[in-house]
Amino acid sequence: MAARILIIDYGSQYTQLIARRVREARVYSEIHPPTRTVEWVRQWKPTGIILSGGPCSVYGENVPTAQKELLEIAPVLGVCYGMQLIAHIEGGAVERAGRREYGRAEVEVIEPAGVFAGMAGAPVAAWMSHGDHVERPPKGYVVTARSANTPVAAMRHETKPIHGVQFHPEVAHTPRGGEIISNFLFEICGAEPSWTPGAFIEDEVRKIRELVGAKRVICGLSGGVDSSVAAALVHRAIGDQLTCVFVDTGLLRLGEREQVERTFRAHLGIHLVTVDASDRFLDALKNVEDPEKKRRAIGHTFIDVFEDATSEHAHGAEFLVQGTLYPDVIESASPTGGPSVTIKTHHNVGGLKPDMKFKLIEPLRELFKDEVRNVGRELGLPEEMVGRHPFPGPGLAIRILGDVSREKLDVLRKADSIYLEEIRAAGLYDEIWQAFAVLLPVRSVGVMGDERTYDNVVALRAVTSVDGMTADWYHFPHDVMAVISNRIINEVDGVNRVVYDVSSKPPATIEWE
């Protein structure tokens, strides 16, 4: 059985990063809430267990905790709150720090072995984020690292494979954090680095074939990375039993429909049905300005169009493919079982009518976005598709602030196409997580030739990010930005001003709506 690491989520904003770091080391990991029972964990058979950080104090009321028996199932690494929890349930002393320690710290490694193997000598830079700390380790534990403000920056059990670190090895601000996690995976847990795109595809193809048998399957194809890779993976498993339905909403980018049809029909040989429903979507969006109402109108229309398409083109289909990703799964619930805050409706159009009796196939629900891209490359999808920037399910409708019309869509489509074309020409596309144009609901005065103009304003957005959870605005070379601005103003009728968005996430979101 391949190695797999169980990550218990105690509410840290960095928990997803732990999973990503483990997977980057080619070991499979899953995130689960602290409500999982000891018996459930035993049945899951983890190669190792990581207890994440979190905002709570071990002495608080109704805080997530762990049973002592958890420490006997597999090697354990406690991170921040996870280490404090180990100390607490094992009989050590956890105390409120004199002052909260947040930010970069120098950690002195006392014992360059175990998780600190290969780290003798100079202090290790680490990222701290805690109010409590372990004042005294439990009986049978030894201190393996300390900092100026934290007497127990790390500890381990004398004889059992139980380790704890007060800092966050998963974040980029702990430069040698990857080594610490790798030491836990390979030196402490004895894991094998076998989590690869090829191994994933092989395993998933087997599962899909066993599940589907000779039955038919339908996939709602958006042309984005997630649905494209999901469709290609299912096609690898069952071939002509799959029918893909691509809905042209009229809200797509320039040339997007043609690219999807070319890739899936000619390149991959997948049975693809294209439905032109642009008039239906524009009718549904008429005079709608509120962002959430736009999303709902698009979502409801998509469901109706998709239902009509499946009735016509997918007789007898029993399964529906969706490109659900792992962040979609683990972000849907908080670690303590309480309500999660909804910032806005999810970008992807989702949800089907109750009377549509499809069984779901979600072949990517275990993967992060970068892993999906690598699986797509392994499946032979072209780089222009798997390497493309994220694109929201509601399309250009949420990049037009205010009401949506065919004329506005044409303006935005042309501006956005020029923007992305120049980014690629400058060799910057792969440096940027997401770039797009936004049509603002304002007009400004300009001069073109000898004439006064009163035309539209286009805002440009480009951000750098790892996973979209946080993002910083991209610092364009001025000469590139000048070319982009000049081309949009000169080539797109109805635009006389271009502005650039220099907001980070948080406090702003990446999309404007």
Side-chain angles (χ1 to χ4, degrees):
M1 181 177 174
R4 52 187 193 166
I5 301 299
L6 175 64
I7 300 167
I8 304 294
D9 180 14
Y10 287 98
S12 170
Q13 60 182 316
Y14 304 128
T15 301
Q16 283 197 33
L17 286 179
I18 300 175
R20 294 175 66 87
R21 297 295 172 260
V22 172
R23 292 187 180 193
E24 285 167 5
R26 296 171 56 189
V27 176
Y28 180 67
S29 64
E30 279 188 20
I31 298 171
H32 285 270
T35 50
R36 295 298 189 195
T37 64
V38 168
E39 185 54 36
W40 183 94
V41 175
R42 285 199 183 99
Q43 291 178 359
W44 200 79
K45 296 181 180 177
T47 308
I49 300 170
I50 299 178
L51 310 181
S52 85
C56 300
S57 167
V58 294
Y59 298 117
E61 293 184 9
N62 300 318
V63 298
T65 185
Q67 293 176 268
K68 196 170 180 178
E69 292 82 0
L70 183 72
L71 305 179
E72 304 293 334
I73 297 173
V76 176
L77 173 64
V79 174
C80 196
Y81 178 82
M83 184 179 93
Q84 296 166 16
L85 193 56
I86 292 171
H88 180 59
I89 63 179
E90 289 276 79
V94 179
E95 295 185 0
R96 173 66 61 181
R99 63 183 180 88
R100 179 176 173 81
E101 189 171 20
Y102 183 85
R104 191 176 185 275
E106 296 290 328
V107 172
E108 177 191 351
V109 175
I110 300 170
E111 185 181 271
V115 296
F116 294 114
M119 298 187 189
V124 174
W127 186 260
M128 296 283 189
S129 179
H130 62 97
D132 295 356
H133 66 231
V134 177
E135 181 68 24
R136 186 187 72 253
K139 184 179 179 181
Y141 284 76
V142 296
V143 178
T144 56
R146 61 187 169 222
S147 72
N149 296 311
T150 308
V152 186
M155 67 181 192
R156 69 166 177 86
H157 194 280
E158 292 176 337
T159 58
K160 300 175 183 178
I162 305 172
H163 296 256
V165 292
Q166 182 58 70
F167 54 89
H168 289 273
E170 69 272 23
V171 303
H173 298 293
T174 303
R176 301 189 72 176
E179 292 177 57
I180 293 170
I181 291 173
S182 291
N183 283 335
F184 175 69
L185 297 176
F186 305 123
E187 301 300 322
I188 309 301
C189 299
E192 291 291 332
S194 59
W195 174 248
T196 64
F200 170 82
I201 291 170
E202 184 179 330
D203 188 50
E204 204 61 33
V205 163
R206 176 185 55 78
K207 290 178 184 176
I208 293 167
R209 285 174 179 165
E210 289 176 356
L211 175 66
V212 172
K215 297 181 177 68
R216 298 199 60 78
V217 178
I218 191 166
C219 174
L221 190 66
S222 71
V225 177
D226 306 339
S227 69
S228 298
V229 174
L233 180 54
V234 173
H235 184 257
R236 169 74 64 91
I238 60 171
D240 291 342
Q241 292 168 243
L242 172 69
T243 296
C244 287
V245 175
F246 175 63
V247 176
D248 183 352
T249 62
L251 309 172
L252 305 174
R253 287 177 288 194
L254 194 66
E256 193 156 15
R257 172 173 170 172
E258 292 76 12
Q259 181 200 37
V260 170
E261 291 178 331
R262 182 175 63 251
T263 298
F264 281 85
R265 285 183 182 146
H267 185 68
L268 296 177
I270 292 177
H271 180 222
L272 176 67
V273 174
T274 299
V275 179
D276 188 342
S278 54
D279 289 341
R280 289 178 68 172
F281 281 91
L282 283 170
D283 287 344
L285 288 167
K286 191 173 183 180
N287 299 323
V288 178
E289 297 187 7
D290 179 84
E292 289 302 299
K293 290 181 180 178
K294 282 185 190 177
R295 292 173 186 273
R296 284 194 290 273
I298 294 167
H300 293 157
T301 305
F302 184 91
I303 292 168
D304 290 340
V305 171
F306 190 75
E307 184 180 44
D308 293 344
T310 55
S311 299
E312 184 177 351
H313 300 288
H315 297 295
E318 295 187 23
F319 294 90
L320 172 69
V321 179
Q322 287 193 343
T324 308
L325 302 194
Y326 197 40
D328 301 330
V329 176
I330 58 182
E331 286 178 358
S332 63
S334 68
T336 55
S340 297
V341 176
T342 300
I343 295 181
K344 61 185 173 186
T345 307
H346 196 273
H347 290 313
N348 294 325
V349 177
L352 294 172
K353 292 182 178 178
D355 57 351
M356 295 185 77
K357 304 298 184 183
F358 291 116
K359 300 170 188 171
L360 283 182
I361 298 176
E362 299 174 300
L364 309 179
R365 65 180 285 116
E366 298 175 346
L367 302 184
F368 289 102
K369 192 80 171 189
D370 54 335
E371 295 170 332
V372 171
R373 295 188 197 279
N374 289 333
V375 167
R377 294 181 180 104
E378 189 82 10
L379 288 167
L381 286 171
E383 188 61 32
E384 66 177 2
M385 182 164 282
V386 297
R388 68 182 298 193
H389 293 171
F391 186 63
L396 298 180
I398 60 168
R399 293 176 179 172
I400 296 175
L401 274 60
D403 67 308
V404 179
S405 67
R406 198 178 300 275
E407 294 71 27
K408 290 180 180 180
L409 284 163
D410 287 341
V411 169
L412 181 57
R413 238 188 295 273
K414 292 173 186 174
D416 189 72
S417 178
I418 291 169
Y419 185 28
L420 295 179
E421 182 182 317
E422 288 300 328
I423 288 173
R424 286 192 173 96
L428 303 177
Y429 189 83
D430 292 337
E431 292 183 18
I432 298 169
W433 165 263
Q434 193 172 4
F436 55 89
V438 179
L439 187 63
L440 302 186
V442 294
R443 291 190 170 191
S444 72
V445 173
V447 177
M448 301 184 82
D450 294 324
E451 295 184 5
R452 178 184 182 275
T453 62
Y454 187 58
D455 278 331
N456 296 297
V457 179
V458 166
L460 304 180
R461 180 78 157 139
V463 297
T464 56
S465 182
V466 174
D467 49 23
M469 295 176 67
T470 61
D472 194 12
W473 59 278
Y474 182 74
H475 296 243
F476 270 108
H478 290 182
D479 57 338
V480 175
M481 184 58 75
V483 171
I484 294 169
S485 175
N486 287 339
R487 280 200 62 193
I488 290 174
I489 291 172
N490 289 331
E491 297 177 32
V492 182
D493 290 339
V495 176
N496 68 359
R497 191 177 300 271
V498 172
V499 298
Y500 187 55
D501 181 351
V502 293
S503 310
S504 296
K505 176 187 178 181
T509 53
I510 295 177
E511 296 284 351
W512 279 47
E513 285 198 348

PDB file of all heavy atoms in Angstrom, residues 410-427:
ATOM      1  N   ASP A 410     -18.320  42.412 -26.553  1.00  0.00           N
ATOM      2  CA  ASP A 410     -17.395  42.534 -27.681  1.00  0.00           C
ATOM      3  C   ASP A 410     -16.218  43.438 -27.342  1.00  0.00           C
ATOM      4  O   ASP A 410     -15.064  43.149 -27.683  1.00  0.00           O
ATOM      5  CB  ASP A 410     -18.134  43.077 -28.915  1.00  0.00           C
ATOM      6  CG  ASP A 410     -19.055  42.037 -29.537  1.00  0.00           C
ATOM      7  OD1 ASP A 410     -18.855  40.834 -29.266  1.00  0.00           O
ATOM      8  OD2 ASP A 410     -19.978  42.431 -30.283  1.00  0.00           O
ATOM      9  N   VAL A 411     -16.507  44.556 -26.658  1.00  0.00           N
ATOM     10  CA  VAL A 411     -15.435  45.479 -26.245  1.00  0.00           C
ATOM     11  C   VAL A 411     -14.467  44.784 -25.305  1.00  0.00           C
ATOM     12  O   VAL A 411     -13.241  44.828 -25.484  1.00  0.00           O
ATOM     13  CB  VAL A 411     -16.039  46.735 -25.568  1.00  0.00           C
ATOM     14  CG1 VAL A 411     -14.937  47.555 -24.897  1.00  0.00           C
ATOM     15  CG2 VAL A 411     -16.772  47.581 -26.595  1.00  0.00           C
ATOM     16  N   LEU A 412     -15.017  44.112 -24.287  1.00  0.00           N
ATOM     17  CA  LEU A 412     -14.162  43.457 -23.296  1.00  0.00           C
ATOM     18  C   LEU A 412     -13.375  42.309 -23.911  1.00  0.00           C
ATOM     19  O   LEU A 412     -12.191  42.119 -23.601  1.00  0.00           O
ATOM     20  CB  LEU A 412     -15.013  42.945 -22.130  1.00  0.00           C
ATOM     21  CG  LEU A 412     -14.253  42.249 -21.002  1.00  0.00           C
ATOM     22  CD1 LEU A 412     -13.189  43.167 -20.417  1.00  0.00           C
ATOM     23  CD2 LEU A 412     -15.206  41.780 -19.911  1.00  0.00           C
ATOM     24  N   ARG A 413     -14.012  41.540 -24.794  1.00  0.00           N
ATOM     25  CA  ARG A 413     -13.341  40.406 -25.429  1.00  0.00           C
ATOM     26  C   ARG A 413     -12.089  40.864 -26.179  1.00  0.00           C
ATOM     27  O   ARG A 413     -11.019  40.258 -26.086  1.00  0.00           O
ATOM     28  CB  ARG A 413     -14.303  39.714 -26.391  1.00  0.00           C
ATOM     29  CG  ARG A 413     -14.529  38.232 -26.079  1.00  0.00           C
ATOM     30  CD  ARG A 413     -15.322  37.562 -27.167  1.00  0.00           C
ATOM     31  NE  ARG A 413     -16.666  38.075 -27.293  1.00  0.00           N
ATOM     32  CZ  ARG A 413     -17.706  37.628 -26.605  1.00  0.00           C
ATOM     33  NH1 ARG A 413     -17.563  36.650 -25.728  1.00  0.00           N
ATOM     34  NH2 ARG A 413     -18.910  38.140 -26.776  1.00  0.00           N
ATOM     35  N   LYS A 414     -12.232  41.952 -26.938  1.00  0.00           N
ATOM     36  CA  LYS A 414     -11.104  42.458 -27.728  1.00  0.00           C
ATOM     37  C   LYS A 414      -9.987  42.996 -26.822  1.00  0.00           C
ATOM     38  O   LYS A 414      -8.809  42.740 -27.051  1.00  0.00           O
ATOM     39  CB  LYS A 414     -11.589  43.552 -28.680  1.00  0.00           C
ATOM     40  CG  LYS A 414     -12.496  43.039 -29.785  1.00  0.00           C
ATOM     41  CD  LYS A 414     -13.079  44.188 -30.595  1.00  0.00           C
ATOM     42  CE  LYS A 414     -14.104  43.694 -31.620  1.00  0.00           C
ATOM     43  NZ  LYS A 414     -14.787  44.816 -32.310  1.00  0.00           N
ATOM     44  N   ALA A 415     -10.379  43.745 -25.798  1.00  0.00           N
ATOM     45  CA  ALA A 415      -9.372  44.306 -24.875  1.00  0.00           C
ATOM     46  C   ALA A 415      -8.638  43.195 -24.149  1.00  0.00           C
ATOM     47  O   ALA A 415      -7.400  43.222 -24.012  1.00  0.00           O
ATOM     48  CB  ALA A 415     -10.049  45.248 -23.878  1.00  0.00           C
ATOM     49  N   ASP A 416      -9.378  42.193 -23.682  1.00  0.00           N
ATOM     50  CA  ASP A 416      -8.784  41.080 -22.942  1.00  0.00           C
ATOM     51  C   ASP A 416      -7.841  40.282 -23.838  1.00  0.00           C
ATOM     52  O   ASP A 416      -6.764  39.852 -23.403  1.00  0.00           O
ATOM     53  CB  ASP A 416      -9.905  40.185 -22.410  1.00  0.00           C
ATOM     54  CG  ASP A 416      -9.401  39.131 -21.443  1.00  0.00           C
ATOM     55  OD1 ASP A 416      -9.033  39.504 -20.312  1.00  0.00           O
ATOM     56  OD2 ASP A 416      -9.359  37.936 -21.811  1.00  0.00           O
ATOM     57  N   SER A 417      -8.231  40.082 -25.095  1.00  0.00           N
ATOM     58  CA  SER A 417      -7.398  39.330 -26.030  1.00  0.00           C
ATOM     59  C   SER A 417      -6.075  40.034 -26.286  1.00  0.00           C
ATOM     60  O   SER A 417      -4.999  39.401 -26.298  1.00  0.00           O
ATOM     61  CB  SER A 417      -8.159  39.137 -27.347  1.00  0.00           C
ATOM     62  OG  SER A 417      -7.356  38.461 -28.288  1.00  0.00           O
ATOM     63  N   ILE A 418      -6.121  41.342 -26.488  1.00  0.00           N
ATOM     64  CA  ILE A 418      -4.887  42.113 -26.690  1.00  0.00           C
ATOM     65  C   ILE A 418      -3.989  42.032 -25.458  1.00  0.00           C
ATOM     66  O   ILE A 418      -2.770  41.844 -25.559  1.00  0.00           O
ATOM     67  CB  ILE A 418      -5.229  43.588 -27.002  1.00  0.00           C
ATOM     68  CG1 ILE A 418      -5.879  43.693 -28.388  1.00  0.00           C
ATOM     69  CG2 ILE A 418      -3.990  44.476 -26.918  1.00  0.00           C
ATOM     70  CD1 ILE A 418      -6.485  45.056 -28.676  1.00  0.00           C
ATOM     71  N   TYR A 419      -4.582  42.167 -24.292  1.00  0.00           N
ATOM     72  CA  TYR A 419      -3.847  42.107 -23.020  1.00  0.00           C
ATOM     73  C   TYR A 419      -3.078  40.798 -22.896  1.00  0.00           C
ATOM     74  O   TYR A 419      -1.862  40.773 -22.675  1.00  0.00           O
ATOM     75  CB  TYR A 419      -4.856  42.268 -21.887  1.00  0.00           C
ATOM     76  CG  TYR A 419      -4.308  42.350 -20.484  1.00  0.00           C
ATOM     77  CD1 TYR A 419      -3.037  42.846 -20.207  1.00  0.00           C
ATOM     78  CD2 TYR A 419      -5.107  41.941 -19.408  1.00  0.00           C
ATOM     79  CE1 TYR A 419      -2.568  42.927 -18.903  1.00  0.00           C
ATOM     80  CE2 TYR A 419      -4.656  42.023 -18.097  1.00  0.00           C
ATOM     81  CZ  TYR A 419      -3.385  42.514 -17.856  1.00  0.00           C
ATOM     82  OH  TYR A 419      -2.916  42.593 -16.561  1.00  0.00           O
ATOM     83  N   LEU A 420      -3.785  39.676 -23.090  1.00  0.00           N
ATOM     84  CA  LEU A 420      -3.135  38.368 -22.941  1.00  0.00           C
ATOM     85  C   LEU A 420      -2.121  38.123 -24.060  1.00  0.00           C
ATOM     86  O   LEU A 420      -1.072  37.511 -23.839  1.00  0.00           O
ATOM     87  CB  LEU A 420      -4.193  37.264 -22.938  1.00  0.00           C
ATOM     88  CG  LEU A 420      -5.162  37.286 -21.748  1.00  0.00           C
ATOM     89  CD1 LEU A 420      -6.184  36.158 -21.862  1.00  0.00           C
ATOM     90  CD2 LEU A 420      -4.408  37.173 -20.429  1.00  0.00           C
ATOM     91  N   GLU A 421      -2.420  38.613 -25.249  1.00  0.00           N
ATOM     92  CA  GLU A 421      -1.490  38.455 -26.375  1.00  0.00           C
ATOM     93  C   GLU A 421      -0.162  39.140 -26.084  1.00  0.00           C
ATOM     94  O   GLU A 421       0.922  38.582 -26.343  1.00  0.00           O
ATOM     95  CB  GLU A 421      -2.140  39.046 -27.630  1.00  0.00           C
ATOM     96  CG  GLU A 421      -1.309  38.905 -28.900  1.00  0.00           C
ATOM     97  CD  GLU A 421      -1.999  39.546 -30.090  1.00  0.00           C
ATOM     98  OE1 GLU A 421      -3.230  39.347 -30.231  1.00  0.00           O
ATOM     99  OE2 GLU A 421      -1.317  40.248 -30.853  1.00  0.00           O
ATOM    100  N   GLU A 422      -0.204  40.336 -25.533  1.00  0.00           N
ATOM    101  CA  GLU A 422       1.027  41.079 -25.241  1.00  0.00           C
ATOM    102  C   GLU A 422       1.778  40.487 -24.042  1.00  0.00           C
ATOM    103  O   GLU A 422       3.003  40.524 -23.991  1.00  0.00           O
ATOM    104  CB  GLU A 422       0.708  42.557 -24.998  1.00  0.00           C
ATOM    105  CG  GLU A 422       0.318  43.308 -26.258  1.00  0.00           C
ATOM    106  CD  GLU A 422       1.425  43.284 -27.315  1.00  0.00           C
ATOM    107  OE1 GLU A 422       2.615  43.268 -26.943  1.00  0.00           O
ATOM    108  OE2 GLU A 422       1.088  43.273 -28.516  1.00  0.00           O
ATOM    109  N   ILE A 423       1.039  39.946 -23.071  1.00  0.00           N
ATOM    110  CA  ILE A 423       1.690  39.278 -21.946  1.00  0.00           C
ATOM    111  C   ILE A 423       2.486  38.075 -22.440  1.00  0.00           C
ATOM    112  O   ILE A 423       3.630  37.842 -22.036  1.00  0.00           O
ATOM    113  CB  ILE A 423       0.646  38.850 -20.892  1.00  0.00           C
ATOM    114  CG1 ILE A 423       0.108  40.071 -20.154  1.00  0.00           C
ATOM    115  CG2 ILE A 423       1.252  37.869 -19.888  1.00  0.00           C
ATOM    116  CD1 ILE A 423      -1.046  39.749 -19.221  1.00  0.00           C
ATOM    117  N   ARG A 424       1.874  37.309 -23.347  1.00  0.00           N
ATOM    118  CA  ARG A 424       2.579  36.146 -23.916  1.00  0.00           C
ATOM    119  C   ARG A 424       3.772  36.596 -24.754  1.00  0.00           C
ATOM    120  O   ARG A 424       4.852  35.994 -24.689  1.00  0.00           O
ATOM    121  CB  ARG A 424       1.620  35.311 -24.759  1.00  0.00           C
ATOM    122  CG  ARG A 424       0.616  34.494 -23.942  1.00  0.00           C
ATOM    123  CD  ARG A 424      -0.097  33.478 -24.831  1.00  0.00           C
ATOM    124  NE  ARG A 424      -0.927  32.577 -24.044  1.00  0.00           N
ATOM    125  CZ  ARG A 424      -2.219  32.743 -23.842  1.00  0.00           C
ATOM    126  NH1 ARG A 424      -2.837  33.800 -24.348  1.00  0.00           N
ATOM    127  NH2 ARG A 424      -2.900  31.874 -23.114  1.00  0.00           N
ATOM    128  N   ALA A 425       3.588  37.639 -25.556  1.00  0.00           N
ATOM    129  CA  ALA A 425       4.669  38.127 -26.421  1.00  0.00           C
ATOM    130  C   ALA A 425       5.872  38.585 -25.606  1.00  0.00           C
ATOM    131  O   ALA A 425       7.024  38.450 -26.038  1.00  0.00           O
ATOM    132  CB  ALA A 425       4.156  39.264 -27.302  1.00  0.00           C
ATOM    133  N   ALA A 426       5.612  39.100 -24.392  1.00  0.00           N
ATOM    134  CA  ALA A 426       6.700  39.566 -23.519  1.00  0.00           C
ATOM    135  C   ALA A 426       7.303  38.433 -22.694  1.00  0.00           C
ATOM    136  O   ALA A 426       8.235  38.654 -21.920  1.00  0.00           O
ATOM    137  CB  ALA A 426       6.185  40.670 -22.600  1.00  0.00           C
ATOM    138  N   GLY A 427       6.758  37.208 -22.837  1.00  0.00           N
ATOM    139  CA  GLY A 427       7.272  36.062 -22.090  1.00  0.00           C
ATOM    140  C   GLY A 427       6.917  36.084 -20.615  1.00  0.00           C
ATOM    141  O   GLY A 427       7.612  35.484 -19.798  1.00  0.00           O
TER     142      GLY A 427
END
